[in-house]
Amino acid sequence: MENIISCRNLYKYYYKGQPQEFAALNNVDIDIPEGKLTIIKGRSGSGKTTLLNMMSALDSNDSGSIIFDNEDISGLSDNDKDMLRRKKIGFVFQSVAIIPVMSAYENVDFALRAAGVKKNRDARIKEVLNLVGLLERAKHMPSELSGGEKQRIAIARAIAPRPKVVFADEPTGALDTATGIKIVTLFKNLIEKEGTTIVMTTHDPGLMQLGDITYEMSDGVISVSRD
Ligand SMILES: Nc1ncnc2c1ncn2[C@@H]1O[C@H](COP(=O)(O)OP(=O)(O)OP(=O)(O)O)[C@@H](O)[C@H]1O
Ligand SMILES: [Mg+2]
């Protein structure tokens, strides 16, 4: 099994040099297998978002290495990090960041335009809306959609440009467990149909068993979860 991301000895400190300094990431080693669903669990403040931000080149680690798709990204310039994110990464967040004045269709189109996709956008928009089960809602505005449907639009938008890795930070945090399970099932379909790699964080005990591999964060320390 290939790992699309491998982190070794990652440290991230907050309040560096101050009396309250602490390691939000403390010697973290993590491997993300390609074309699988990786789940990172752990209580609030344990470091899940911090770790996602390192692996997705949104923020910089203080030491250690991050290999992303065979490239060491820990020393990249901000410009190169922007480029990496635009070319290879999709994001889904808990607070759905879809654009309220655009329909479902237009939201996905916007993501494709932002990624520089010029050709065959219409076909790809319909394909991903169909994948998330919302093709018949293409013309609906976000205000006309349920929370779970809005989250599915956000997912369609994230996957439309065919990123290698989708990072989903608490994508089901605002949803009930049953709807959360539907979202995770959708992730698994995407993995099967498109070969995407998905990394998601969750608090929901009902979802933690659904990953191909589950890691647990605790006070900045990571371990593979066995339950
Ligand atoms: N920019 C920052 N400056 C200082 N401390 C921070 C910053 N970002 C996060 N922290 C601290 O680092 C620790 C880890 O935060 P992080 O956001 O990674 O937790 P989390 O596991 O994602 O929590 P949650 O489940 O609540 O989202 C927390 O103690 C948090 O207060
Ligand atoms: Mg978080």
Side-chain angles (χ1 to χ4, degrees):
M1 194 161 53
E2 287 282 307
N3 294 317
I4 190 152
I5 306 173
S6 286
C7 301
R8 292 292 176 270
N9 312 111
L10 272 193
Y11 284 88
K12 176 71 177 178
Y13 296 98
Y14 287 119
Y15 310 110
K16 243 184 149 169
Q18 292 172 252
Q20 67 271 40
E21 171 178 302
F22 74 101
L25 297 180
N26 187 348
N27 202 20
V28 167
D29 289 353
I30 183 170
D31 290 314
I32 306 295
E34 186 161 20
K36 301 278 182 196
L37 174 64
T38 298
I39 291 184
I40 302 171
K41 66 177 188 177
R43 62 171 183 73
S44 181
S46 58
K48 303 181 297 296
T49 297
T50 305
L51 177 56
L52 244 51
N53 288 348
M54 302 299 133
M55 292 195 289
S56 59
L58 280 172
D59 200 356
S60 300
N61 49 311
D62 287 311
S63 65
S65 66
I66 305 170
I67 307 295
F68 186 115
D69 201 18
N70 298 314
E71 182 186 10
D72 189 342
I73 65 164
S74 39
L76 287 184
S77 67
D78 286 350
N79 267 343
D80 288 343
K81 284 184 175 172
D82 285 347
M83 196 66 77
L84 171 86
R85 286 199 304 275
R86 220 168 301 159
K87 278 182 11 202
K88 297 189 178 174
I89 295 177
F91 291 97
V92 181
F93 297 107
Q94 171 179 3
S95 46
V96 182
I98 57 178
I99 300 158
V101 297
M102 289 185 185
S103 68
Y105 182 101
E106 291 163 341
N107 261 282
V108 178
D109 193 27
F110 183 78
L112 286 172
R113 286 168 190 269
V117 178
K118 294 193 174 65
K119 285 188 191 158
N120 301 325
R121 286 204 307 273
D122 180 66
R124 181 63 177 160
I125 295 164
K126 287 173 179 159
E127 186 177 31
V128 295
L129 285 176
N130 189 40
L131 264 173
V132 301
L134 288 178
L135 189 51
E136 72 284 6
R137 298 273 202 286
K139 291 187 179 144
H140 284 232
M141 301 302 283
S143 61
E144 301 166 329
L145 297 169
S146 74
E149 288 169 341
K150 274 187 269 205
Q151 198 54 288
R152 283 189 271 157
I153 299 294
I155 293 165
R157 212 179 51 172
I159 63 163
R162 304 181 195 279
K164 288 204 155 192
V165 183
V166 171
F167 290 97
D169 198 3
E170 298 274 357
T172 65
L175 307 171
D176 57 274
T177 296
T179 312
I181 289 174
K182 283 190 192 153
I183 297 285
V184 178
T185 306
L186 170 62
F187 280 155
K188 296 199 140 194
N189 286 339
L190 289 173
I191 286 170
E192 200 170 299
K193 295 220 170 77
E194 306 231 319
T196 318
T197 300
I198 299 182
V199 184
M200 71 171 268
T201 66
T202 186
H203 277 120
D204 191 333
L207 304 181
M208 291 163 184
Q209 271 67 280
L210 301 173
D212 294 303
I213 180 163
T214 301
Y215 290 95
E216 177 161 20
M217 291 289 304
S218 176
D219 289 335
V221 174
I222 202 163
S223 56
V224 174
S225 172
R226 268 164 251 286
D227 47 50

